[in-house]
């Protein structure tokens, strides 16, 4: 087993990795930017070292400096987490050359699969269906227009290095192409330092289903079932769940086998995710493979009882899987909500500020993965996720009920959050029945959410709200706003 | 007892009681943080998350958002003096909601814009965010240029 690892990441995923490493008796080294010097993950790790200024390009993306810390502190492994350097093959290669184990696939596999072009080629060899589109990067938006004409609108333009909705746009007509193409390209350049853009047929009303796989370094591969990730806004996942209500056992088996075949064909090792989209007729297409641990991995852990970080560390240490597909048991239902610092009532504008109060009630089927503590700040430097709330129960209804309870009791002051949005989504009949696709939020739910005029249906809540509002007035006055007019009862009768 | 006009209802409030619609409830009030308050009304418990925004006051509770229009005696006197109820005032400017960089500006000075029109694109937290008009208005002056770095709260555009 690895003895000491460096975590080349921050926030909740750094905390997540440090926790499992500790449980396995592996020493941990974290790196931190100026902004993160007081963050939770730095304190949880055995050692932590300053790596640079707050912007990611000056800290968490500084591959050489990070590897230097790993070497100086005697680490035999580096866990990249997700985002940042996790899918950069050059970093994996640097680690390999320095004999520091990159906890993930080989750099060749990242190269192959991290590039959507090669991934498509491999899928074709493995006889896994793919979406029609370009295999080479586009020269410019004019070429995009030419190809879109052949394939037919709508089309999806996406950055080769993209992920998490960044550097992706749906284009509905020729008129939109130039501006959306430029936006996607700029985003990709800013986030990933790569501006290669591809185009493919945009499947209408698709569902996004992904399969988790685990592969050891001896060619053994298993899949851990699917994650339903269709609750998306601007191609960003909002709520994930497993199992999908819409996938039956035979489809699960077939798609799972595709995922395993594809991973084997690519010579993949460690944890990975095969993304599919499924159209309205349950026809599935391979989309891409994510060669890292995913944000939403906890729901798979809840359902399979496996600790994916532990499996990653075991695999990276050269151990065999030690189990076959038949040994994987699926139990219960799990849901994840991504709690983000953004304002759902104002176009989901990111909200920055200091979290001056945070309180939650967890346990009994509710898990939270977070790197945030009271007093921490949400900054412009990194993404806006505050926490992942994960529920688990033997029945789907109870998993939903637990999640609602978790959101009701999740109190944060200092930044705006999407908690009310998540809560309303869980309450929608579409989520309740599981009958939703990736278009649901933007085409239907947002209108409903924004036009929802709430009125009090409970006199005690009404009273409490009035008390709150009145106290707010009184508080403002006490805070030094001078009284211009002398309030006495004789004035009052003028308007009462 | 202090008097308020809340959501067009006459409210009387003291340290432990609220009276409105001929009903009287006892209450307890505990401030948890700047915007979070615990309130117990006749034994029923609530934690309310409040928001002050563009001069309006909102309550968030269990995924629902309620606007609560609260006027104290002073507000009412001022309205009386100004003649009639204040019309809801729209902001005459748009401020940057966060630090970031202007990617592009999609309106020009002197142009009439509609609610929901994109005014400019701001890059922050690695995402490009469209800043939209909150109401129909006319662009008077644009104070920033593409590629400018802006601070939170910096005025970007002034309306007529």
């Amino acid at each position: 087993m690895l003895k000491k690892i460096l975590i080349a990441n921050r926030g909740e995923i750094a905390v997540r990795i440090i926790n499992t490493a500790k449980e396995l008796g592996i020493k941990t080294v974290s790196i931190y930017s100026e902004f993160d010097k007081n963050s939770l993950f730095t304190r949880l790790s055995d050692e932590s070292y300053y790596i640079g200024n707050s912007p990611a390009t000056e800290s968490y993306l500084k591959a050489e400096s990070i590897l230097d810390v790993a070497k100086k502190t005697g680490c035999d492994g580096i866990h990249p987490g997700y985002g940042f350097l996790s899918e950069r093959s050059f970093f994996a290669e640097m680690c390999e050359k320095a004999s520091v184990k990159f906890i993930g696939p080989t750099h060749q596999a990242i190269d192959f699969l991290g590039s959507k072009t090669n991934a498509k080629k491999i899928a074709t060899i493995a006889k896994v269906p793919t979406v029609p589109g370009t295999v080479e990067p586009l020269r410019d938006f004019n070429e995009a227009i030419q190809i879109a004409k052949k394939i037919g609108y709508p089309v999806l333009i996406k950055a080769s290095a993209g992920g998490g909705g960044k550097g992706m746009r749906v284009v509905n007509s020729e008129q939109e192409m130039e501006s959306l193409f430029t936006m996607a390209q700029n985003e990709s350049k800013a986030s990933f330092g790569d501006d290669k853009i591809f185009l493919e047929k945009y499947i209408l009303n698709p569902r996004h289903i992904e399969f988790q796989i685990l592969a050891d370094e001896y060619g053994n591969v298993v899949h851990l079932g699917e994650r339903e990730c269709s609750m998306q806004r601007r191609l960003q996942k909002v709520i994930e769940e497993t199992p999908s209500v819409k996938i039956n056992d035979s489809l699960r088996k077939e798609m799972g086998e595709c995922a395993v075949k594809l991973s084997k064909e690519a010579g993949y090792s460690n944890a990975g995710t095969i993304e599919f989209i499924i159209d309205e007729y349950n026809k599935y297409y391979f989309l891409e493979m994510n060669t890292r641990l995913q944000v939403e991995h906890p729901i798979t852990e809840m359902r399979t009882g496996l600790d994916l970080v532990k499996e990653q560390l075991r695999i990276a240490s050269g151990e065999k899987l030690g189990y076959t597909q038949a040994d994987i048991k699926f139990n219960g239902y799990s849901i994840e909500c991504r709690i983000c610092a953004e304002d759902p009532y104002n176009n989901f504008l990111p909200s920055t500020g200091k979290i001056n109060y945070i309180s939650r009630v967890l346990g009994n089927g509710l898990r939270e993965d977070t790197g945030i503590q009271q007093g921490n700040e949400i900054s412009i430097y990194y993404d806006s996720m505050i926490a992942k709330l994960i529920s688990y129960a033997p029945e789907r209804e109870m998993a939903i009920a637990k999640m609602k309870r978790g959101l009701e009791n999740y109190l944060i002051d200092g930044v705006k959050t999407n908690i009310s949005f998540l809560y309303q989504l869980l309450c929608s009949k579409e989520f309740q029945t599981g009958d939703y696709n990736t278009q649901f939020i933007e085409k239907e739910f947002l209108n409903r959410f924004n036009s929802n005029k709430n009125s009090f249906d409970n006199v005690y809540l009404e009273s409490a709200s009035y008390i709150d509002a009145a106290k707010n007035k009184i508080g403002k006055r006490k805070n030094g706003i001078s009284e211009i007019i002398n309030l006495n009862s004789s004035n009052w009768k003028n308007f009462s | 007892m202090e008097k308020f006009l809340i959501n067009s209802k006459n409210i009387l409030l003291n340290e432990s009681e609220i009276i409105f619609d001929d009903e009287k409830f006892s209450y307890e009030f505990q401030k948890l943080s700047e915007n979070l308050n615990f309130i117990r009304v006749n034994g029923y418990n609530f934690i309310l998350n409040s928001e002050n925004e563009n001069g309006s006051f909102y309550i968030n509770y269990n995924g629902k958002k309620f606007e609560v229009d609260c006027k104290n005696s002073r507000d009412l006197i001022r309205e009386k003096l100004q003649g009639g109820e204040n019309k809801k005032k729209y902001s005459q400017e748009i401020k940057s909601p966060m630090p970031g960089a202007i990617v592009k500006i999609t309106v020009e000075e002197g142009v009439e814009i509609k609610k929901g029109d994109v005014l400019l694109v701001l890059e922050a937290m690695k995402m490009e965010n469209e800043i939209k008009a909150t109401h129909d208005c006319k662009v008077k002056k644009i104070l920033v240029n593409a590629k400018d770095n802006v601070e939170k709260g910096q005025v970007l555009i002034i309306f007529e």
Side-chain angles (χ1 to χ4, degrees), chain A residues 72-132:
Chain A
K72 278 187 192 136
T73 54
C75 288
D76 52 3
I78 290 188
H79 197 307
Y82 54 70
F84 298 126
L85 293 167
S86 62
E87 293 180 282
R88 306 303 301 267
S89 61
F90 80 86
F91 183 59
E93 192 174 1
M94 278 169 62
C95 294
E96 286 164 25
K97 283 192 176 141
S99 297
V100 178
K101 182 73 185 180
F102 179 82
I103 299 159
T106 60
H107 79 271
Q108 291 94 338
I110 298 177
D111 231 1
F112 251 88
L113 292 160
S115 143
K116 278 145 200 163
T117 317
N118 289 331
K120 260 192 168 172
K121 286 177 189 161
I122 285 225
T124 310
I125 297 168
K127 296 194 173 64
V128 177
T130 61
V131 181

Side-chain angles (χ1 to χ4, degrees), chain B residues 4-5 28 31 36 46-47 54 73 85 120 149 154:
Chain B
F4 297 89
L5 189 70
E28 292 161 57
K31 207 164 184 53
L36 284 166
F46 302 96
I47 291 172
N54 302 328
S73 336
E85 200 174 324
L120 50 87
N149 285 312
Q154 183 176 337

Side-chain angles (χ1 to χ4, degrees), chain A residues 170-379:
Chain A
V170 176
V171 186
N172 288 305
S173 65
E174 200 170 313
Q175 288 75 36
E176 292 179 5
M177 186 63 89
E178 184 176 355
S179 69
L180 293 175
F181 187 93
T182 313
M183 263 185 154
Q185 202 164 36
N186 290 344
E187 255 177 46
S188 177
K189 216 185 267 174
S191 296
F192 313 106
D194 181 324
D195 62 358
K196 287 204 230 27
I197 299 283
F198 295 85
L199 180 151
E200 66 186 27
K201 172 91 185 143
Y202 187 64
I203 308 286
L204 280 173
N205 303 323
R207 276 176 296 123
H208 176 124
I209 301 280
E210 58 185 32
F211 274 74
Q212 176 71 52
I213 65 102
L214 285 176
D216 66 17
E217 296 177 350
Y218 312 95
N220 303 304
V221 185
V222 296
H223 76 81
L224 304 182
E226 80 280 14
R227 291 186 288 257
E228 166 67 79
C229 303
S230 301
M231 276 296 180
Q232 299 186 354
R233 190 193 141 266
R234 272 177 61 175
L235 301 164
Q236 287 263 32
K237 294 163 190 166
V238 177
I239 300 178
E240 302 97 341
E241 63 172 325
T242 185
S244 168
V245 173
K246 294 287 184 176
I247 304 281
N248 62 29
D249 285 344
S250 72
L251 187 58
R252 179 172 300 113
K253 187 162 179 285
E254 190 182 324
M255 292 176 75
E257 279 166 7
C258 277
V260 169
K261 252 194 321 192
L262 217 145
S263 310
K264 282 188 174 166
E265 195 61 55
Y268 195 85
S269 59
N270 217 285
T273 295
I274 312 269
E275 294 192 346
F276 294 96
I277 52 173
I278 303 196
D279 69 15
E280 291 156 294
Y281 315 101
N282 268 358
K283 197 164 163 16
Y284 60 90
Y285 306 91
F286 165 68
L287 211 54
E288 61 178 326
M289 181 159 188
N290 293 322
T291 57
R292 55 171 159 85
L293 191 65
Q294 303 263 120
V295 174
E296 60 275 22
H297 76 275
I299 58 172
T300 298
E301 297 186 319
M302 303 315 282
R303 187 161 144 77
T304 58
L306 285 167
D307 178 327
L308 292 191
V309 175
K310 180 182 166 196
E311 296 309 302
Q312 283 194 297
L313 292 167
R314 280 185 53 233
I315 292 165
S317 303
E319 289 187 20
K320 287 188 175 167
L321 279 187
Y323 41 77
T324 63
Q325 191 62 52
D327 297 321
I328 306 294
K329 297 281 179 268
F330 299 102
N331 285 303
Y333 289 77
S334 185
I335 302 171
E336 175 184 274
C337 281
R338 298 189 186 194
I339 296 176
C340 295
E342 58 189 21
D343 183 1
Y345 298 101
N346 186 12
N347 203 22
F348 294 85
L349 217 52
S351 171
T352 55
K354 187 175 176 183
I355 295 187
N356 53 50
Y357 184 90
I358 184 164
S359 158
R360 52 282 218 212
V361 183
L362 304 169
N364 194 18
L366 271 180
R367 157 181 170 182
E368 184 194 29
D369 281 19
T370 186
I372 290 288
Q373 289 176 300
Q374 194 158 307
N376 286 168
E377 251 178 76
I378 302 293
S379 77

Side-chain angles (χ1 to χ4, degrees), chain B residues 44-104:
Chain B
Y44 290 91
N45 298 326
F46 302 96
I47 291 172
L48 302 182
N49 189 351
S50 62
E51 259 175 67
N52 276 297
E53 209 170 63
N54 302 328
S56 299
F57 185 78
Y58 297 94
I59 298 280
N60 285 291
Y61 179 74
N62 277 7
K64 287 187 176 158
K65 188 173 181 172
F66 303 93
E67 184 170 355
V68 183
D69 176 40
C70 175
K71 294 176 181 124
N72 61 13
S73 336
R74 198 188 53 172
D75 299 327
L76 293 166
I77 292 165
R78 188 190 288 138
E79 276 178 14
K80 186 101 181 159
L81 293 175
Q82 288 172 351
E85 200 174 324
N86 274 349
K87 288 217 176 79
K88 191 163 182 174
K89 272 193 188 144
Y90 285 112
S91 173
Q92 291 300 103
E93 58 194 24
I94 192 127
K95 290 178 181 171
S96 179
M98 62 201 141
I102 306 290
V103 179
K104 68 174 173 184

Side-chain angles (χ1 to χ4, degrees), chain A residues 8-10 31-36 41 50-66 80 82-86 88 90-91 166 187-193 379-383, chain B residues 123-126:
Chain A
N9 216 300
R10 63 176 300 280
I31 48 159
Y32 60 91
S33 69
E34 182 64 31
F35 176 82
D36 276 324
F41 72 91
Y50 176 80
I51 196 83
N53 292 326
S54 304
T57 47
E58 295 170 43
S59 50
Y60 300 106
L61 290 170
K62 275 168 68 185
E64 271 172 43
S65 313
I66 293 170
Y82 54 70
F84 298 126
L85 293 167
S86 62
R88 306 303 301 267
F90 80 86
F91 183 59
K166 284 166 198 159
E187 255 177 46
S188 177
K189 216 185 267 174
S191 296
F192 313 106
S379 77
I380 54 157
Y381 300 113
Y382 315 112
D383 68 41
Chain B
E123 197 209 304
M125 293 165 122
K126 292 188 178 174

Side-chain angles (χ1 to χ4, degrees), chain A residues 7 43 47 50 81 138 198 205 238 438 463:
Chain A
I7 293 96
R43 296 178 192 163
E47 299 167 50
Y50 176 80
L138 296 163
F198 295 85
N205 303 323
V238 177
T438 55
S463 308

